[in-house]
Amino acid sequence: FVEGNHEFNMGGYFESYSGVKCSKSLSIGIESMKIFISHGYEIPGNYVAKFLKTGFVNSIMDYFGPALTWAIASLAKYFLSKRDKGYNQKVLNIFRNYANKILDQGYDVVMLAHSHMPDEASYSAGGNKKYYFNTGDIITSGTYVEYRTGLGFSIKKYEPQ
């Protein structure tokens, strides 16, 4: 399980409760590809998200408990979340640049999500193809990334039946 916007250092608790390992990012291998998976909130310049993920904020949330924490988060969403974000080329470029830095570290595929904008790009490096995917989000855009053996990764759109 990769932590997203609303998970704060769940690691040990989540694992002991569910048996599922919780991580800020994953490095996995599939068919000889080295793959980096992360929510994407760690992208440089995202200071609000970084502050909200600190131990200081986590301890305040623990102290006040879930009811008050949830009430504060519900009010904060009106200031921090822009539901009408839509497509933003500047944000798209920030994520692509970050993905390129990760790809330069020897990865073949980088998968992120935080921007809520589905995106895919391919690059050539040393004669090898490298790929970046942003899953978008299942609620607004209905998108996700799928892997198929022999075909690789692709962005798909959920179509209810």
Side-chain angles (χ1 to χ4, degrees):
F1 179 82
V2 176
E3 289 185 354
N5 283 344
H6 307 285
E7 295 84 35
F8 296 88
N9 300 315
M10 293 175 32
Y13 173 78
F14 190 77
E15 188 170 350
S16 68
Y17 180 77
S18 67
V20 175
K21 185 171 171 40
C22 187
S23 179
K24 294 182 185 334
S25 64
L26 295 174
S27 179
I28 63 172
I30 299 177
E31 290 188 18
S32 76
M33 290 182 292
K34 186 176 176 186
I35 302 159
F36 178 84
I37 302 171
S38 177
H39 178 260
Y41 61 79
E42 73 281 1
I43 288 179
N46 195 352
Y47 302 112
V48 172
K50 285 180 184 171
F51 174 71
L52 292 174
K53 295 283 187 177
T54 63
F56 171 73
V57 171
N58 197 25
S59 64
I60 290 172
M61 290 171 51
D62 283 346
Y63 178 77
F64 287 114
L68 184 57
T69 300
W70 186 254
I72 292 168
S74 294
L75 289 173
K77 73 181 178 187
Y78 296 108
F79 303 102
L80 298 175
S81 180
K82 298 176 184 79
R83 293 275 177 223
D84 59 342
K85 285 184 217 175
Y87 179 83
N88 182 319
Q89 186 66 45
K90 180 180 175 185
V91 171
L92 186 124
N93 289 339
I94 289 169
F95 275 75
R96 285 183 174 187
N97 289 337
Y98 177 72
N100 271 319
K101 288 178 184 171
I102 300 297
L103 290 169
D104 286 345
Q105 295 173 19
Y107 287 93
D108 301 298
V109 178
V110 171
M111 234 177 282
L112 303 172
H114 188 68
S115 74
H116 295 254
M117 291 187 296
D119 186 27
E120 61 184 295
S122 61
Y123 308 93
S124 293
N128 297 321
K129 272 281 220 209
K130 297 191 176 236
Y131 303 91
Y132 159 65
F133 294 93
N134 193 306
T135 61
D137 74 74
I138 197 72
I139 303 299
T140 307
S141 62
T143 55
Y144 60 97
V145 174
E146 177 181 87
Y147 177 78
R148 296 187 131 201
T149 303
L151 299 175
F153 293 96
S154 60
I155 292 181
K156 299 288 186 180
K157 185 165 179 71
Y158 173 73
E159 301 292 345
Q161 308 228 7

